[in-house]
Amino acid sequence: MNTPRKNTPVFEQLPGPVPLPGLLEVVAGAFFADFHAELEATPYADIRPTHGCVFRFLREEGMRPTRLAALAGMTKQSIGEITDDLLARGYVERIADPEDRRAKLIRLTEQGKRAQRTGHELFTRVEKRWSERYGAERIAGLRALLEEIAATDAPGLVPELAREPSAVR
């Protein structure tokens, strides 16, 4: 009888290749681990992974919590908890929406803008290091493919990649 060894990883027990979503999750986790190791050495070490959804989508003009929740794929209540935490840490502020004074916008403070810029710089640094490790052409090809997939299959979730349908291969 063929019984699995106690310390055998689950992937070794499964037939076939590791499912693509599993690989994407592992790679994203490794990338974020590198990013958070770098972040710890900055004045923004108090920023947690859960805060990323706010820094990922907020721009200069701010955003309503409902729109932020939709982009992040979260509930308005979850976004509210995250923004409350960031508000207490001084990274965001709530202001009246100039188009509807009854509505509120979440907007980065100056500290939040500096943290967001630092985050973008750190992502660039980690991507550069990965390019050196795995090859610049391979990482550029991976990026191009992921951008194409995101723009085609989830265009509303990646506003930076919005393009005309005819521009997508």
Side-chain angles (χ1 to χ4, degrees), residues 114-128:
R114 288 189 302 272
Q116 187 182 56
R117 276 192 304 274
T118 297
H120 285 282
E121 291 166 6
L122 295 179
F123 280 127
T124 299
R125 188 181 306 167
V126 172
E127 187 171 333
K128 183 177 186 289

Side-chain angles (χ1 to χ4, degrees), residues 5 13 19 28 38 51 57 62 64 66 68-69 71 83 96-97 104 112 118 124 132 134 149 153 159:
R5 295 184 311 256
Q13 297 173 23
E38 296 262 349
H51 298 144
F57 294 109
R64 287 187 181 178
T66 50
L68 185 55
L71 286 170
T83 55
D97 184 337
K104 296 288 184 196
T118 297
T124 299
E132 292 165 358
Y134 299 110
I149 292 169
D153 294 328

Side-chain angles (χ1 to χ4, degrees), residues 64-70 73-84 94 103-104:
R64 287 187 181 178
T66 50
R67 175 73 176 135
L68 185 55
M74 300 176 77
T75 65
K76 186 179 171 192
Q77 291 77 14
S78 294
I79 287 295
E81 289 177 23
I82 293 167
T83 55
D84 285 347
R94 285 191 184 94
K104 296 288 184 196

Side-chain angles (χ1 to χ4, degrees), residues 8 15 27 46 80 83 99-100 102 106 114 124 136 142 155:
T8 302
V27 171
D46 63 327
T83 55
E99 294 179 18
D100 180 353
R102 297 168 297 169
I106 306 298
R114 288 189 302 272
T124 299
L142 175 62

Side-chain angles (χ1 to χ4, degrees), residues 17-163:
V18 176
L20 187 57
L23 286 175
L24 292 170
E25 184 178 343
V26 168
V27 171
F31 194 95
F32 279 115
D34 283 358
F35 170 80
H36 286 289
E38 296 262 349
L39 186 64
E40 288 297 317
T42 72
Y44 311 109
D46 63 327
I47 294 175
R48 298 287 152 245
T50 55
H51 298 144
C53 62
V54 172
F55 287 105
R56 161 78 177 85
F57 294 109
L58 276 187
R59 299 296 179 264
E60 184 77 25
E61 65 278 0
M63 187 177 292
R64 287 187 181 178
T66 50
R67 175 73 176 135
L68 185 55
L71 286 170
M74 300 176 77
T75 65
K76 186 179 171 192
Q77 291 77 14
S78 294
I79 287 295
E81 289 177 23
I82 293 167
T83 55
D84 285 347
D85 188 36
L86 288 170
L87 183 74
R89 295 169 190 259
Y91 291 109
V92 300
E93 60 186 351
R94 285 191 184 94
I95 60 167
D97 184 337
E99 294 179 18
D100 180 353
R101 308 285 298 161
R102 297 168 297 169
K104 296 288 184 196
L105 295 177
I106 306 298
R107 185 172 68 183
L108 293 172
T109 61
E110 288 305 314
Q111 176 184 350
K113 290 174 191 175
R114 288 189 302 272
Q116 187 182 56
R117 276 192 304 274
T118 297
H120 285 282
E121 291 166 6
L122 295 179
F123 280 127
T124 299
R125 188 181 306 167
V126 172
E127 187 171 333
K128 183 177 186 289
R129 203 166 45 245
W130 279 37
S131 291
E132 292 165 358
R133 184 182 308 155
Y134 299 110
E137 282 186 30
R138 293 173 71 201
I139 293 297
L142 175 62
R143 169 177 276 290
L145 177 59
L146 292 173
E147 286 179 355
E148 180 180 342
I149 292 169
T152 301
D153 294 328
L157 298 179
V158 189
E160 302 91 337
L161 299 179
R163 49 177 107 148

